[in-house]
Amino acid sequence: GTMFLVGLSGGIASGKSAVVAVLRELGCAVIDADVIARQVVQPHSKAHQQILQHFGTEILLENGEINREALGSIIFSQPEKRRLLNSITHPEILKEMLKQILKYFVLGYRYVILDIPLLFETRGLTRLMKYTVLVYCDPPTQLARLMRRSGLGVAEAEARISSQLPLEEKRRWATHVIDNSGDWESTRRQVLQLHTRLEDSLDFLWARLAVGTAVAGLGGLVFLLIRHFIS
């Protein structure tokens, strides 16, 4: 009963953040790759210094932070610059994610949900996941939601959507699909079912206790026992 990883993804305007909010509410350990990607390029970080060396100071905002839009337009038009940026940021993002996974492992979590926007585009990552979850909605709903949310016209909204791997295709790769095309009640019910399925096992308790004992001695054991009985 070792800890496992669950990859979670969606598409633009498919409702992933609302699903994540419910999972957090249920007490799940969720690691947000987007938040980490922003953290690792903060001023004074290793990645920030390397990005400056290669891209110059014109990609900085007044406050010294990186102007994501300026950087985005450079890497959008120049694939080799995109590869360069990835080679700077990806190792840092991975390091931080591993640190957080380890923290949850030590705390005795059964599984960790990794919220990764490009999960299905990055085939290497899906292999590390025991399960992959896609927050799906049908194309007309996705288009309508994106237009409503962003104020974009049809052509622009369609262009944004088509720049991503289609949800229909991601659906084939996912082990679990949460269909968010209907009303929120039905989506919430699906999230609760998923949570039950992921939690549906007690064989991990002894592994949890063993880790707790090894890591923190008796104090850890007491903490984990209490945690188990109140959860």
Side-chain angles (χ1 to χ4, degrees):
T2 48
M3 185 172 105
F4 58 87
L5 302 178
V6 179
L8 175 83
S9 200
I12 189 166
S14 73
K16 178 170 66 70
S17 40
V19 167
V20 168
V22 178
L23 289 165
R24 286 188 193 276
E25 210 180 286
L26 292 166
C28 294
V30 181
I31 296 175
D32 185 329
D34 255 358
V35 169
I36 292 176
R38 282 198 288 272
Q39 281 169 354
V40 299
V41 297
Q42 285 301 312
H44 311 301
S45 68
K46 185 174 148 192
H48 186 275
Q49 285 157 1
Q50 289 177 322
I51 291 168
L52 275 193
Q53 276 166 19
H54 293 286
F55 291 88
T57 49
E58 58 270 23
I59 56 143
L60 287 187
L61 295 165
E62 296 280 313
N63 61 4
E65 284 184 18
I66 286 166
N67 181 340
R68 287 161 68 96
E69 277 180 15
L71 191 55
S73 61
I74 294 172
I75 64 169
F76 189 70
S77 54
Q78 303 174 57
E80 72 285 355
K81 296 271 191 186
R82 180 161 66 239
R83 282 193 289 274
L84 175 64
L85 182 67
N86 285 345
S87 72
I88 293 170
T89 55
H90 282 180
E92 297 300 308
I93 292 170
L94 212 54
K95 218 184 323 184
E96 183 54 37
M97 282 180 115
L98 287 171
K99 235 177 5 197
Q100 293 193 22
I101 289 169
L102 194 64
K103 175 188 78 178
Y104 286 122
F105 177 68
V106 167
L107 287 172
Y109 279 79
R110 163 129 173 90
Y111 59 90
V112 172
I113 296 170
L114 299 177
D115 174 0
I116 304 174
L118 296 176
L119 176 68
F120 294 99
E121 284 82 347
T122 328
R123 301 297 303 146
L125 274 177
T126 53
R127 283 198 288 274
L128 303 173
M129 309 296 162
K130 182 170 180 182
Y131 304 116
T132 50
V133 180
L134 174 69
V135 181
Y136 169 89
C137 73
D138 62 66
T141 307
Q142 187 183 19
L143 183 65
R145 281 185 188 153
L146 179 58
M147 287 170 66
R148 196 164 59 233
R149 187 180 86 184
S150 60
L152 293 172
V154 178
E156 290 161 297
E158 278 175 344
R160 288 264 179 103
I161 290 171
S162 63
S163 74
Q164 298 187 338
L165 199 63
L167 285 172
E168 297 297 338
E169 203 170 315
K170 292 181 181 181
R171 193 176 186 149
R172 290 208 299 271
W173 299 110
T175 60
H176 297 75
V177 175
I178 288 174
D179 190 339
N180 186 31
S181 309
D183 60 15
W184 177 238
E185 230 0 90
S186 128
T187 301
R188 197 182 164 88
R189 206 165 37 244
Q190 292 173 67
V191 179
L192 295 177
Q193 278 166 353
L194 172 72
H195 178 252
T196 306
R197 219 174 290 164
L198 293 174
E199 286 284 341
D200 198 17
S201 159
L202 273 181
D203 60 355
F204 68 94
L205 175 63
W206 303 113
R208 183 193 267 195
L209 292 180
V211 169
T213 314
V215 170
L218 198 58
L221 180 65
V222 171
F223 167 71
L224 290 168
L225 274 170
I226 291 170
R227 232 195 84 131
H228 172 64
F229 285 117
I230 60 174
S231 64

